[in-house]
Amino acid sequence: MAVDTIRDGVVVSMAYVLTVDGEELSRATADEPLEYLHGAENIVPGLEAALAGKKVGDKLSVTVPPEDAYGEYDEDDMDEFDLDEIPDAKNLEPGMVVEVEDEEGYVFVGTVQEITNDAVVVDFNPPLAGKTLNFEVEVVGLREANEEELEHGHPHSLDDFYDEDDDEE
Ligand code: ZN
């Protein structure tokens, strides 16, 4: 069954270029497109909304403000940790991505913001928080998602990309 337009439950293949502050951050070509499942929040809400109803061959420029992407930058979303309590503290550098586990075992990914004499400040904002994202997109293919994909909420052609972990599902 052919799919004409983008709607929930459709796997979309797209070529794109993502630019932030004039710098290209990522791209996919028409030969090796990015696939996502529409309606499953695989991509930022602002881009997903702009793609609804589009057809194969459609090209669009989409500017996504922070509130429709990774959110506003939150100055308070930072924590300080004592260097004494960190095993490899001397290897830390600003800009480094670190994982911090809380008492309940949840793991949070953050970026080292600053290292003082006795503490490290970790920023838990997503790296693109507060940024406006500029996408140049071309829709290159559409197909109906299969049952398993709908259940998992992502396409299965790119399991690595979506960090497949079927054992837990
Ligand atoms: Zn899956």
Side-chain angles (χ1 to χ4, degrees):
M1 201 170 28
V3 179
D4 286 340
T5 56
I6 297 178
R7 53 170 165 73
D8 288 0
V10 168
V11 173
V12 180
S13 304
M14 64 180 190
Y16 78 95
V17 179
L18 166 61
T19 311
V20 175
D21 295 338
E23 196 186 327
E24 182 183 316
L25 291 193
S26 64
R27 67 159 65 218
T29 61
D31 293 334
E32 288 179 67
L34 173 73
E35 286 199 346
Y36 79 94
L37 174 58
H38 195 81
E41 299 178 359
N42 292 165
I43 58 176
V44 296
L47 181 59
E48 191 166 50
L51 281 159
K54 297 289 185 258
K55 297 178 164 61
V56 171
D58 282 353
K59 294 182 183 178
L60 52 160
S61 298
V62 188
T63 301
V64 184
E67 64 265 30
D68 295 324
Y70 293 96
E72 298 292 350
Y73 188 83
D74 179 1
E75 296 278 352
D76 295 327
D77 200 4
M78 299 216 194
D79 252 322
E80 240 183 71
F81 301 91
D82 286 344
L83 284 180
D84 299 350
E85 293 168 18
I86 301 167
D88 292 320
K90 62 176 181 300
N91 297 326
L92 291 174
E93 282 172 37
M96 204 178 253
V97 174
V98 290
E99 291 186 348
V100 179
E101 194 175 328
D102 74 5
E103 283 149 14
E104 270 114 59
Y106 290 104
V107 175
F108 296 89
V109 177
T111 310
V112 174
Q113 178 82 5
E114 195 189 346
I115 301 159
T116 66
N117 285 335
D118 50 9
V120 55
V121 181
V122 178
D123 182 349
F124 291 101
N125 281 285
L128 292 176
K131 300 288 187 186
T132 295
L133 314 184
N134 299 287
F135 291 96
E136 294 295 329
V137 178
E138 182 181 355
V139 181
V140 297
L142 301 177
R143 67 172 170 84
E144 214 58 79
N146 66 39
E147 235 168 83
E148 200 184 38
E149 290 174 322
L150 289 173
E151 210 173 285
H152 287 194
H154 53 228
H156 272 171
S157 34
L158 285 171
D159 277 346
D160 291 346
F161 184 82
Y162 289 102
D163 205 9
E164 189 71 24
D165 195 353
D166 282 323
D167 293 344
E168 290 178 12
E169 289 173 67

